[in-house]
Amino acid sequence: MIHPQFDPVALHIWGPIQIQWYGLMYLLGFIAGLYLGIWRAKRQPWRGFTPEQVGDLLFYIVLGIVIGGRAGYVLFYHLDLFFQNPLYLFRIWEGGMSFHGGFLGVALAVILFARRYNKPIFAVGDFVAPLVPPGLFFGRLGNFINGELWGRPTDVPWGMIFPQVDGLTRHPSQLYQMAGEGLALFLLLWWFSRKPRPRKAVAGFFMIGYGVFRTAAEFFREPDAHLGILAMGFVTQGMLLSLPMILVGIGLMVWAYRTPIFETPVETPSSKTGKRKKQGKNA
């Protein structure tokens, strides 16, 4: 198969004003997270969130992803360019986002939101975690459309040639990551968090799951040319950044089940009204 070489621009509006597929994928990820968050807030009041709070939370998350993702990309993958020109950090239009940087940005956003609304930090983290994989799904789809972050050479039947790289058949690693850290992780997290779990367990499960899926994908993904293989003949930057996530996730899971704290049901105004009506009818 040959990569279709999609036009990265989805819509030319006027002159230099255009809408790119990658930006649309981010938008779809945010919309999916918002919809799923509102659904959970309405159907599972024991989580202690209202639909309005979900909208506010999304604002914090978007800022965390954009700022953290860009800062992480520059500091984790292009620190040399930052030292040459610190303003490179702000040249977002040239592209470049890092999940691990975005993760740290979201973690900070969760802390700020929790303090603003007087909520336990890990209660917010557990609520946010299952909403992240859909964004990863669409983000990796955007990578595939742009023909970036291609895989290593292979001879598997489903290999793909990326003409902008060379004539070698390569793993379509963007699709592997889309299926792993996007779809599979979402299904696992949605199943795991469908009922009350000890606080910190869902966030820990997410960190372990992402770290494992990302590490597995790194065996098929072509390392960044300026970094290459870092150690032991197979260790990449993505693996090194994912290992702490796995370890911290394991720590959170152990902590959660050794000292379990469960979310308590929260009565919303609508639920209180419903109770009053029911009591009046029974009376």
Side-chain angles (χ1 to χ4, degrees):
M1 294 184 291
I2 299 178
H3 184 269
Q5 297 292 282
F6 300 102
D7 184 347
V9 179
L11 180 63
H12 294 271
I13 299 178
W14 178 75
I17 302 176
Q18 53 189 222
I19 298 177
Q20 298 197 359
W21 283 109
Y22 196 64
L24 285 179
M25 294 301 106
Y26 266 78
L27 179 61
L28 288 176
F30 293 142
I31 292 174
L34 178 63
Y35 172 80
L36 293 172
I38 292 176
W39 186 93
R40 303 190 96 187
K42 290 181 177 179
R43 301 289 185 89
Q44 300 168 338
W46 51 267
R47 297 185 185 277
F49 280 80
T50 65
E52 293 74 21
Q53 289 175 339
V54 173
D56 293 342
L57 177 59
L58 178 66
F59 174 75
Y60 282 79
I61 297 301
V62 170
L63 288 180
I65 290 175
V66 174
I67 297 175
R70 178 60 184 176
Y73 175 78
V74 174
L75 300 179
F76 295 153
Y77 294 94
H78 288 286
L79 188 59
D80 56 331
L81 296 180
F82 175 75
F83 284 139
Q84 294 174 18
N85 179 17
L87 293 179
Y88 177 71
L89 178 65
F90 304 100
R91 295 161 69 174
I92 300 177
W93 59 89
E94 294 184 3
M97 297 286 282
S98 162
F99 166 81
H100 296 92
F103 172 78
L104 295 176
V106 169
L108 179 58
V110 165
I111 294 173
L112 295 176
F113 177 87
R115 295 185 62 180
R116 170 70 174 79
Y117 287 89
N118 195 29
K119 292 180 178 291
I121 292 174
F122 285 108
V124 180
D126 288 344
F127 184 84
V128 169
L131 312 181
V132 175
L136 299 176
F137 178 92
F138 287 112
R140 295 310 178 190
L141 179 57
N143 293 145
F144 180 74
I145 292 175
N146 284 350
E148 58 194 9
L149 305 184
W150 48 81
R152 303 185 188 191
T154 181
D155 58 358
V156 297
W158 57 87
M160 181 171 289
I161 295 174
F162 293 85
Q164 76 277 19
V165 184
D166 51 32
L168 299 177
T169 303
R170 296 176 174 272
H171 286 286
S173 55
Q174 313 97 325
L175 301 184
Y176 298 174
Q177 292 188 257
M178 186 176 75
E181 65 201 45
L183 180 59
L185 184 56
F186 169 71
L187 294 176
L188 289 171
L189 272 171
W190 196 261
W191 166 81
F192 182 73
S193 63
R194 74 192 188 285
K195 61 181 182 180
R197 301 284 183 179
R199 191 178 294 167
K200 299 180 286 290
V202 178
F205 190 95
F206 167 79
M207 294 177 71
I208 296 171
Y210 179 85
V212 170
F213 278 117
R214 175 61 184 269
T215 300
E218 287 290 320
F219 284 99
F220 305 97
R221 174 173 161 174
E222 184 74 23
D224 293 82
H226 64 291
L227 294 177
I229 302 296
L230 300 180
M232 301 173 62
F234 67 90
V235 177
T236 65
Q237 181 79 333
M239 292 179 183
L240 289 180
L241 294 173
S242 297
L243 179 59
M245 289 188 66
I246 297 174
L247 297 178
V248 173
I250 292 173
L252 288 178
M253 293 283 284
V254 173
W255 185 9
Y257 281 96
R258 281 190 174 179
T259 57
I261 300 175
F262 290 86
E263 306 305 331
T264 55
V266 177
E267 286 191 342
T268 62
S270 59
S271 64
K272 292 179 180 179
T273 302
K275 283 187 176 180
R276 288 197 296 268
K277 288 182 179 179
K278 185 176 182 179
Q279 291 171 353
K281 185 177 180 179
N282 291 339

